[in-house]
Amino acid sequence: TNNNSSETTPQADHIHGGLLMALGLRGHLSALSMTDIYDYLTQGTVTTTVGILLGMASNKVSTCDPSVSKMLCLHIPSLLPASFASIDVAGPAQTAAVAGIGLLYQKSSHRLMTEFLLNEMGKRPTNDTSTSDREAYTLSCGLALGMVNLSRGDSEKKGESGGSGGLADLHIEERLHRYVVGGIDDMELRRRREAADRANNAQGIAAGESERCSRIFEGDTINTDVTAPGATLALGLMFLQSGNKAIASSLALPDTHFLLEYVRPDFLLLRVVARSLILWNDVMPTSKWIEDQIPVVVKNSFGRMKASVQNTTDLADFTNLETGAKKTQKNSNQSGINDTDHHESSPGEKKSEDTPFLEQDGDRQAIRQIHPHVVAGACFAIGLRFAGTGDERAAEAIGERLMDFLTLRDENDPLSVALRPEQPILEMCLGCSAIALAMVMAGTGDLDTLRLFKMLRWRCDDTVRYGTHMAFSSAIGLLFLGGGTCTLGRSPEDIAALVLAFFPRFPSSTSDNRYHLQALRHCYALAVKRRDLVAVDVDTGEKVSVPIEIVFKETTKHPMKLEVPVLLRNTSNSLSKLNVVSERYYPLSLDLRKVNLFEAGITLFVKKRSGFLGHFQDPHSQRSLLVQTGSSSGQSALELIQSFTEDPRILAYAQYLCDIRGSKFESESQFNGDSFAISEFCTTILHECLTGDKEDVLPLYLSLRSSVDSIEADPSSTAVQTVWDVRLIRHYYEQHHLLVKDGQRLISPEFIAFLCELLDSFLIKTGLKESSLESYFNSGSVERDIGGYLGCFLVWYDVPFQTVSADTEQIDPMEIVHDDSY
């Protein structure tokens, strides 16, 4: 089967066509050469052709690629020469090609394509085969026209570059408005006359008569049932976010019952959406804004219908109560009088007053159809405006309307029965509102929204059509978009893709492409943006949970506090900086103005501080070394440290030094003093180094402590050098501690004070007599047995050295420091 046939194809062909389109949507179809594409187009099925056309157009979106443009034009009979006009191309392939033109020439204001799409919207069927899926084809022309001139409606007036100044003679706005409200299309009549004249001059009158449709005769007036949907959305996309009130007023909803009779209710839905696209900044995420979109006459009539039903229900309840009272008063002779009196004062009197007003409110069935359509259109507009934001107010407003629709569908009370429209209309409004809510909460996985969707799709019987199930399933898919790593963009290109994909008219079966080509439902992928923010521990390579702070460019906005991993939702405020604010990890700052958040998300590489457990092991930071120690928790130092580090050096230190008491290493300790004091000292400095994240300082602590303890055993020049080192350290932290950033020190002041105390105690215990010091100061003579102690004393207390002549036998005090014999 080739692409010229629309016969049913095997399932494998549909799967392969979907694969080709998916590759194009993800930007991978450019790997195919044109010869491969030619094989697919000539030997494939209709589904494969549609997949290739839309896939290649999506792959080359906004590029105006000439090779892809030629491929698309070959599948549009109106762009072929007259000699090839008789080629039969399947309707879905034509619709896909026209939509592909819109994607390929998106935002280019291409003159030829704009004129072609504008003329194609009002084109009459030229033969009997062109009547199939005509509504879908015209809708695709309108959407493509809007995408080609996306947000360029006011560019000429604003003096922007790349505007639509060369399209002024086409009178696009006037013609599109005529396609919306109806009338006579002068351009189409002129085109038909010119085509007929060319055909008559070339082949005679018979040829001109052959290009006429025998199934549909529309005359000279525009068939708005076909042209209105595409023209309405084309105006909305052309003037997207422009705030043009003149164009928006041309799409205003009728304000009288008489005018409402001339507009289909589903077209009112599209008008609300198009007006919201134009007046983008006026859309508010409130129930009041939804109510304001309903025409006053419809709102009043709907309210009176509801009040009438409630009054009737109250009257029926009161009548039943009165009947029971009559049975208990059988002996009363005034029952007839009482009945008459009570009837005069019953709510029935109010009902009789309401009846004339209801008769003046027009067709009740029309009111039942118009009200839900307008409400669904307003919900869809809020969904587009706040797509991917997770706005709670928007979700609440749409959720309330969804519950109202759900009540009308499932409940059988008198009020629901009286206000309920036809089942297909109610299903369409439910699906449209569900998708709107899913667009707002896209990627968030909100549980309350999921519960609501489960309630909507719970009903499964013969009355629920395929399109309804498709809408609810799509809504759930959007809610968990990308597994919580993706959301929907809000740029003009993204909004156009969402309108193209979620057009609020759902099919009745899997093969229904009459009003909207089902393959276009997948174009939402063009609006998907990956905005997940994850943190990876550089030591373990695992994803971790880290609290962060988002700073906005606007200084008046308070920073937004989040916890990674998280989905960065769309916001109207510009992001400036990202800061990691966690006591577990080192601080990190990222300038978001230099990062493209829509490329592939953001991965933060963080490093955990020592002495802390991971978030999953200790979510509340109650098991860090700052909170507990080995002694307080009843564990040994080794057991405690094993939870925080896997460094073999740290583990060996904890095993052999912190838990030394009672072990075989106690007698081999290099330290003097009680083993319990040594173990406590090692545990203390280990705790300090781990909490301060300075494990490399442990050898320095041990070296200084060991050197000070060794002075008493060997008061030699090495001991004097140790005293010099301690004195330098003390002097540095006394005089230059302000140079250390944030007051953090490599060696703690407590440890320095501890060393100073040890040295003072040692010098006191040396037994230096006043006579020895007096002899040194007076004559410079030093006894050999106290030379080392005296050198430590002089260095520690910064006593000037005495110098003597070289011919005496007295000892030079400098030799006390430098001569190893002492």
Side-chain angles (χ1 to χ4, degrees), residues 123 194 272 315 337 392 413 474 575 704 724 781 783 809:
K123 182 182 178 181
E194 292 176 355
V272 173
L315 176 61
I337 299 176
E392 295 181 357
D413 57 279
S474 300
L575 306 182
L704 289 175
W724 267 109
S781 60
E783 300 176 4
E809 295 183 358

Side-chain angles (χ1 to χ4, degrees), residues 111 115 118 156 164-172 175 187:
R111 164 76 188 205
E115 185 176 5
L118 189 61
E156 183 181 2
S164 56
L167 307 178
D169 61 312
L170 296 180
H171 306 287
I172 300 177
R175 293 187 62 184
M187 297 296 295

Side-chain angles (χ1 to χ4, degrees), residues 252-292:
L253 275 62
D255 54 358
T256 64
H257 290 290
F258 178 77
L259 294 178
L260 285 171
E261 293 291 336
Y262 291 90
V263 183
R264 277 173 37 181
D266 55 330
F267 291 172
L268 297 176
L269 184 153
L270 298 179
R271 289 196 185 188
V272 173
V273 174
R275 282 174 51 85
S276 302
L277 293 177
I278 299 172
L279 305 177
W280 184 261
N281 295 326
D282 294 342
V283 179
M284 303 301 296
T286 60
S287 296
K288 182 179 182 303
W289 184 86
I290 297 177
E291 288 290 336
D292 292 342

Side-chain angles (χ1 to χ4, degrees), residues 672-693:
N672 296 326
D674 184 66
S675 60
F676 178 76
I678 299 301
S679 176
E680 185 178 7
F681 167 76
C682 294
T683 303
T684 301
I685 63 173
L686 177 60
H687 180 271
E688 177 189 338
C689 291
L690 288 179
T691 54
D693 200 18

Side-chain angles (χ1 to χ4, degrees), residues 194-212:
E194 292 176 355
D197 293 340
R198 288 195 300 268
N200 292 335
N201 295 333
Q203 300 179 6
I205 300 178
E209 295 293 333
S210 63
E211 296 184 357
R212 299 181 61 179

